[in-house]
Every structure is written in C-alpha cells, then in structure tokens.
Amino acid sequence: MNIDSCIAFAQDLIRISSMSGKEKTIIERLIAEMRILGFDDIRVDENGSSIGTIRGKGKGSTLLLDGHCDTVEITNPSDWSFNPFGGEIHGENLYGRGAADMKCALAAMIYAAGSIDRSQLVGSVVISATVVEELMEGISFKTVVDSVKPDFVIIGEATDLNVNRAGRGRAEIKIVTTGKSAHSSSPHLGVNAVNMMAKIIQSIEKVELPMDEFLGKAQMVLTDIISEPYPGYSVIPNKCISTYDRRLLPGETNDSVINMILADPSKTNVPFSISIEQGEHQTYTGRILKGEKFFPAWSFPENHELVQNAIKGLIQTGLSPLVSGYQFCTNAAYCAGVAGIPTIGFGPGTEGSAHIVNEFIPVSDLRAAAFGYKGIIESILSTQ
Ligand SMILES: [Zn+2]
C-alpha cells in the first residue's frame, strides 16, 4: 500500500468542501481515486452516494465498508488556527473539517481495499461513500445496503482504532401543547400554552430512563422550545412546541420511547401531543429523502464472529484494539439497528474530535487505520 498517496488523498478530500447536500465534487474525487486504484466496479446511486467494489477470486461473503463524505458546517471560521479546508499537516496531526469525521477513514478504506491481493480473497469488498449522514443517519445508507446486500458491515466512524460492537441510537421527539390566545391584560380569558409546557418539562425531568450495561444510560435532552405567536406582543401564547433529543439503547422502539413519557407527564393532567419528528432532506442529485427521526441503537455480542475476526485482523497489523461502543449515532442505525446485519465500527480519531474547531487526526492514526482496514478485510475474506 502506498501510504504516502493515501495521506495525500485524505488531504485532498479535506480540501474539497462537502457540506451535507453538496457532495457532488467530493464524490467525483473519490471515484477518480478508486479508478486509479483499479476497483472492479464503481457506480453512483440515485442519492449520489458512490459505491466501489473489489472482487476476490471466488464466491464468498460481501463485506461493506462505509464512510459518509458529508461534513457539518464551519460555524466560527475565525476560531480556527488553520484553514478548515487546507488539509494541512502540522507536527503529528492533519487538520481540517472532516479530518476525524470522516474523510481520513474514507481515504484509508479506499486504499486498504485497493491494495488487496485479489488472488488471496473470496467474496467481495465494497466501499460506500454516503451522503447527508450528518442530517439523518442511515437514510442514504439504506439505499446502499438494500442494493449491495452485505453479509457484514464496517462503519468507519471514529473509534480511536478500537472495535465498536454496539452503538447508541437517536430520536427526535416533538411535544406540543395547545392553549387559547387572549390579550395578556386579561390572562384569565386564555390558556397559556407555555405554562402548560413548563409542567410537562418538569414532569419529563422525572422520567426514569433505561440503562444498558455496555452503553450506559439513555438520555433525554431538551434542545429547543418555540411558542406561537412569536413574538407574543401582549398575547397569551396558544401553542408551544418543544423538541427533545433522546439517545436510545438497544431494544428501545418508537412506541416504548413514547409510552415511557406518556406514562409520566399525563399525571400532571396537562393535555399534550407527542410524536417522533419527521425529517426531509434533498440530496445533490435532487432526490428527497424523508423519514421519521428514529435511528435505533444496536449491539452484537463480543464473541460474534465479525467482532472476533476483526480483532484478529487488527492484531495481525500490530494494533491492540479494545472492544467498545459508539456514544453517538451512526449509519449503523440502519444496517445493524433496522436491517440486523452484523456490523462493527472501526475508525481513526475519537468521537470527541468530530464537529469541533481545529478538527484533526493524528497522521499515525490514519496510517494505522489504512493497514487496520486491510487486516480486517483479509481476516474476514481470506481464502485460508
Ligand atoms: Zn460522522
């Protein structure tokens, strides 16, 4: 494997701005590199995600490695010490938006697959670069998974070079109270929807959230609250909407999450409605992706063959991975959480270095990830 070219490729990917919904240029760059590396089949699906395949010499499993190629925006450019689109290396680190989340992982996967000795492999390795993941996890990945039909999936989100066998999910919950408008000089003629919401919020604070031995406690965090009319000049608000970010544990469903809340705030005798928020986003190809913002958690046992084979492959490349889980939500919400396909996470960088000012990755992590992916591919698809 030409690791210097892999590092240069990762720098190039950082230099291409690819905010969610604007990934066309980076997809073209990814395709160009896969061509140079001799991928057998390269295509772009209807959402604009790229899918590159390398085939072994005989029939066998299909291993899909996924990385999303979109990034979050730069909210405060003046806080950055380096150009977020410079792909600059300073000291031991490579800096830029997407360095940790997750352009270096994509570069490493593509180089790992591209350097595989096909004569030693059965089955095929597929690398997907998915779009709009930062807006809705798993929504464009569903199209990839449903067409590739993998036997195993590796998600390349940051694991600090460990093997993640589980991940928390995420849901957006919308709560609405409806009151009655009145002039604020005569509040007794109205019903204040914000006061109603305040009671619901207090009640939700007391909801006992579930616990998972491996992933820890579920979370429910109030992220916004909006009243109508706004601004409410001398008007009693007739409507109030609050949004909660709920971090999910394995086994939690749409119904179980909602029922948990209904069981408690209803004691306050305040009427309210509750639902899972709907998401709708347009891809750069013009496709509208819609869905409920409920992305399930997932978990596989430590003795699962995928976990064990991945560890074996990584040890052969000189790594000593721990077994861990994702606290954030990833594309695995679909392949593992919905489709039930055996999935693990392995990637360079840490969860804490995603979405931050001066996002970076140690160059040594990028190098180790490239050889690590190669080790995992060989371990899972080896003919021996
Ligand atoms: Zn990510």
Side-chain angles (χ1 to χ4, degrees), residues 175 177 196 199-207 258-274:
I175 294 179
T177 51
M196 293 166 74
K199 287 180 186 153
I200 305 285
I201 289 170
Q202 275 189 338
S203 171
I204 285 178
E205 296 286 314
K206 294 183 201 121
V207 172
I258 284 184
N259 287 337
M260 206 173 288
I261 298 163
L262 285 176
D264 208 47
S266 51
K267 288 187 191 119
T268 63
N269 293 323
V270 177
F272 66 97
S273 73
I274 180 166

Side-chain angles (χ1 to χ4, degrees), residues 68 101-102 133-134 157 328 355:
H68 63 82
D101 185 18
M102 52 179 294
E133 188 273 354
E134 293 290 359
E157 295 272 13
F328 61 20
H355 301 191

Side-chain angles (χ1 to χ4, degrees), residues 86-101:
E88 297 167 28
I89 294 175
H90 295 278
E92 305 296 310
N93 299 325
L94 168 54
Y95 290 87
R97 176 55 84 228
D101 185 18

Side-chain angles (χ1 to χ4, degrees), residues 47-359:
N47 304 322
S49 303
S50 68
I51 300 165
T53 304
I54 292 210
R55 291 192 193 90
K57 66 173 183 182
K59 281 196 172 159
S61 302
T62 298
L63 173 63
L64 172 61
L65 287 82
D66 173 70
H68 63 82
C69 66
D70 61 320
T71 69
V72 293
E73 313 232 345
I74 312 288
T75 43
N76 30 10
S78 58
D79 291 352
W80 283 67
S81 310
F82 311 108
N83 176 0
F85 302 107
E88 297 167 28
I89 294 175
H90 295 278
E92 305 296 310
N93 299 325
L94 168 54
Y95 290 87
R97 176 55 84 228
D101 185 18
M102 52 179 294
K103 295 181 174 182
C104 289
L106 262 176
M109 283 173 181
I110 287 173
Y111 265 74
S115 69
I116 288 292
D117 177 358
R118 289 170 172 82
S119 70
Q120 297 300 307
L121 286 192
V122 292
S124 47
V125 191
V126 183
I127 312 289
S128 60
T130 36
V131 297
V132 299
E133 188 273 354
E134 293 290 359
L135 304 178
M136 280 181 82
E137 299 91 336
I139 193 148
S140 75
F141 192 43
K142 177 182 190 306
T143 311
V144 172
V145 170
D146 292 355
S147 81
V148 171
K149 300 185 174 56
D151 299 291
F152 305 104
V153 179
I154 316 284
I155 295 291
E157 295 272 13
T159 64
D160 205 10
L161 303 174
N162 293 313
V163 171
N164 281 5
R165 63 167 182 85
R168 293 201 300 183
R170 174 174 87 85
E172 258 179 63
I173 298 173
K174 182 176 161 184
I175 294 179
V176 181
T177 51
T178 305
K180 191 178 155 203
S181 286
H183 195 288
S184 50
S185 65
S186 309
H188 59 283
L189 297 178
V191 179
N192 191 316
V194 174
N195 286 346
M196 293 166 74
M197 185 63 79
K199 287 180 186 153
I200 305 285
I201 289 170
Q202 275 189 338
S203 171
I204 285 178
E205 296 286 314
K206 294 183 201 121
V207 172
E208 194 59 51
L209 296 171
M211 178 84 181
D212 180 84
E213 269 186 9
F214 189 65
L215 289 169
K217 205 170 182 189
Q219 278 176 350
M220 180 142 177
V221 177
L222 177 63
T223 52
D224 63 37
I225 178 157
I226 302 164
S227 58
E228 288 177 20
Y230 186 86
Y233 298 122
S234 303
V235 180
I236 299 292
N238 68 314
K239 192 170 179 183
C240 186
I241 304 167
S242 66
T243 311
Y244 280 85
D245 177 299
R246 176 72 156 76
R247 296 291 152 162
L248 306 167
L249 297 177
E252 290 199 283
T253 64
N254 188 319
D255 284 348
S256 73
V257 162
I258 284 184
N259 287 337
M260 206 173 288
I261 298 163
L262 285 176
D264 208 47
S266 51
K267 288 187 191 119
T268 63
N269 293 323
V270 177
F272 66 97
S273 73
I274 180 166
S275 58
I276 303 288
E277 192 74 86
Q278 295 288 320
E280 181 176 319
H281 300 286
Q282 188 167 25
T283 66
Y284 75 85
T285 55
R287 203 153 178 257
I288 306 283
L289 295 177
K290 284 185 198 175
E292 232 176 20
K293 291 191 177 178
F294 188 93
F295 313 100
W298 56 282
S299 173
F300 291 95
E302 187 152 345
N303 63 5
H304 192 284
E305 58 167 333
L306 176 61
V307 179
Q308 290 306 314
N309 279 333
I311 292 171
K312 206 167 70 188
L314 291 171
I315 288 171
Q316 270 162 10
T317 70
L319 288 169
S320 18
L322 303 170
V323 177
S324 190
Y326 285 118
Q327 290 298 305
F328 61 20
C329 183
T330 69
N331 266 344
Y334 179 72
C335 61
V338 177
I341 299 165
T343 299
I344 56 156
F346 171 77
T350 61
E351 286 193 29
S353 44
H355 301 191
I356 60 169
V357 168
N358 294 328
E359 183 176 344

